[in-house]
Amino acid sequence: MTLERYSRQILFPGVGEAGQRKIRQATVGLLGLGALGSTLADLMTRSGVGRLVAVDRDIVEPSNLHRQTLYTQADADAGLPKAVAARKRLREINPDVDIECLSLDLGPDNALDVFEECDLILDGADGFETRYLLNDVAIHLGIPWIYGACVAARGMTATIIPGATPCLTCLFPEPPPPGSQETCETGGVIPPVATLVASLQATEALKLLVGDRPSLRRGLLSIELWPFRTVLIGESALPSPDCPACQGRKLRFLAGSAESRSARLCGRNVVQIVPREPLGRSLRELAPRLESLGRVRTMEGVLHLEIDGLTLTLFPDGRALVRGTDDPGRARGLYSRLFGS
Ligand SMILES: [Zn+2]
């Protein structure tokens, strides 16, 4: 490794040569290679981490390109898995870094294997439930993770150190019901909010990697870019003494007992998704929000949406049938993008 590549970063007193060596020795995990994940992977790779382990289950689609900065038109035309396209691009950016991009649907069965060697995990997930799984994984492994989320022109981030700061369950005891929150599919998103939130996450990651914990930003930061407003809450908050996850170590999402989106193949090219909780909104409320995405029909008390070559049939209790794929991960990914669960 030539240090010349990192000379401007080493000149910054917060990093220095000793810090750069620590960055070089680190393994960083990343969940999601979408909008946040693109910028996170790019910044970690350019910063010269030793190894990056990134996971994503989706393929590159044209509607990703305005904000997912790792990908090109050619990647979308070829329908490449994000993990494949990202690995190629990241290798071109910095061949010093050991890049491992896995095309898989992170779940309780594989999450520990994926992240067990990581020093910290960055959150670029697109659904709430995977974040609770990530929270459980970080508590189990005793490593920090950096929460990040964005939709429309809003973003949120928090640095979570199990035992030292509130964890995700301390902050929000339960994931929101499916469909109750906007997602990038239903509420849209502007690119700068994603790159901004990811940049904030990457900065905290660098502080952790060089071992400068006193400089970490504490609390949950909310940013609204349009119009501009920031709110920082819980700067001096400690873990909640009765948190079942970080204090009681009941890791429901890692144990699989809380997994809401049980998805299984039922018949040829049909996957059924059964959420743990009912929908947070009625089909009548959801229909207009889905109309910009594909053809929506509501009949006989169910909603049909044609999207990305798939037909999603949604029942009032939140159960869904996704026709046109035999891949439960793809169906779960679609459900998660639409309803945030
Ligand atoms: Zn907690």
Side-chain angles (χ1 to χ4, degrees):
M1 176 186 68
T2 160
L3 285 182
E4 171 61 20
R5 172 187 270 270
Y6 308 108
S7 58
R8 303 304 186 270
Q9 180 166 292
I10 289 170
L11 270 176
F12 175 67
V15 176
E17 271 198 40
Q20 188 63 44
R21 273 196 297 276
K22 290 180 185 165
I23 292 170
R24 177 67 189 157
Q25 284 158 5
T27 296
V28 172
L30 169 59
L31 172 55
L33 283 162
L36 294 173
S38 282
T39 298
L40 287 166
D42 180 86
L43 292 175
M44 288 296 105
T45 299
R46 289 180 194 275
S47 297
V49 297
R51 183 164 167 238
L52 179 72
V53 180
V55 190
D56 193 285
R57 65 185 164 207
D58 290 328
I59 58 169
V60 182
E61 296 182 60
S63 65
N64 301 150
L65 296 176
H66 86 120
R67 68 190 186 285
Q68 301 189 13
T69 55
L70 284 180
Y71 310 117
T72 63
Q73 182 68 49
D75 296 331
D77 290 344
L80 286 183
K82 288 182 184 173
V84 172
R87 182 177 185 281
K88 178 171 178 292
R89 178 99 172 104
L90 295 167
R91 291 280 304 160
E92 287 166 358
I93 289 170
N94 189 351
D96 283 352
V97 179
D98 178 8
I99 305 282
E100 193 176 336
C101 291
L102 306 166
S103 192
L104 56 79
D105 187 29
L106 196 81
D109 51 328
N110 56 22
L112 286 180
D113 284 346
V114 168
F115 292 125
E116 66 183 346
E117 289 172 7
C118 294
D119 297 292
L120 63 87
I121 308 174
L122 293 162
D123 168 24
D126 61 1
F128 292 99
E129 191 167 302
T130 25
R131 293 203 171 89
Y132 283 82
L133 175 63
L134 202 52
N135 192 56
D136 280 2
V137 167
I139 292 167
H140 182 89
L141 296 174
I143 57 172
W145 72 283
I146 304 176
Y147 162 61
C150 62
V151 66
R154 295 189 298 280
M156 256 193 191
T157 179
T159 301
I160 295 174
I161 303 176
T165 70
C167 78
L168 187 65
T169 304
C170 294
L171 295 170
F172 309 107
E174 291 289 337
S180 63
Q181 307 282 316
E182 298 221 272
T183 70
C184 293
E185 307 287 315
T186 60
V189 61
I190 55 168
V193 76
T195 48
L196 176 65
V197 170
S199 295
L200 292 167
Q201 291 175 275
T203 310
E204 298 309 290
L206 290 176
K207 293 175 192 171
L208 282 166
L209 295 180
V210 303
D212 186 5
R213 291 198 176 196
S215 296
L216 290 170
R217 191 195 62 248
R218 300 288 302 244
L220 177 68
L221 178 65
S222 269
I223 301 170
E224 170 70 58
L225 289 185
W226 196 328
F228 186 80
R229 194 169 78 101
T230 62
V231 179
L232 181 61
I233 57 167
E235 274 178 277
S236 51
L238 294 170
S240 163
D242 46 8
C243 173
C246 68
Q247 302 301 304
R249 296 188 72 85
K250 288 195 181 63
L251 305 177
R252 294 184 297 146
F253 290 84
L254 189 55
S257 54
E259 193 175 28
S260 67
R261 304 154 303 148
S262 76
R264 65 184 177 83
L265 202 56
C266 55
R268 191 158 173 264
N269 269 347
V270 182
V271 176
Q272 175 176 251
I273 296 174
V274 182
R276 181 171 48 97
E277 284 195 68
L279 281 174
R281 289 176 196 254
S282 70
L283 297 183
R284 189 195 298 251
E285 287 172 305
L286 284 169
R289 302 203 301 174
L290 300 173
E291 268 162 8
S292 62
L293 305 173
R295 197 156 91 90
V296 175
R297 288 171 297 139
T298 314
M299 58 173 82
E300 309 286 342
V302 298
L303 181 153
H304 301 279
L305 168 67
E306 287 172 33
I307 180 172
D308 298 343
L310 304 174
T311 303
L312 180 137
T313 302
L314 185 66
F315 297 83
D317 61 357
R319 188 169 65 85
L321 293 174
V322 179
R323 282 168 224 277
T325 181
D326 55 9
D327 176 359
R330 188 176 173 208
R332 198 155 43 208
L334 175 66
Y335 192 92
S336 176
R337 293 203 316 274
L338 293 173
F339 307 117
S341 173

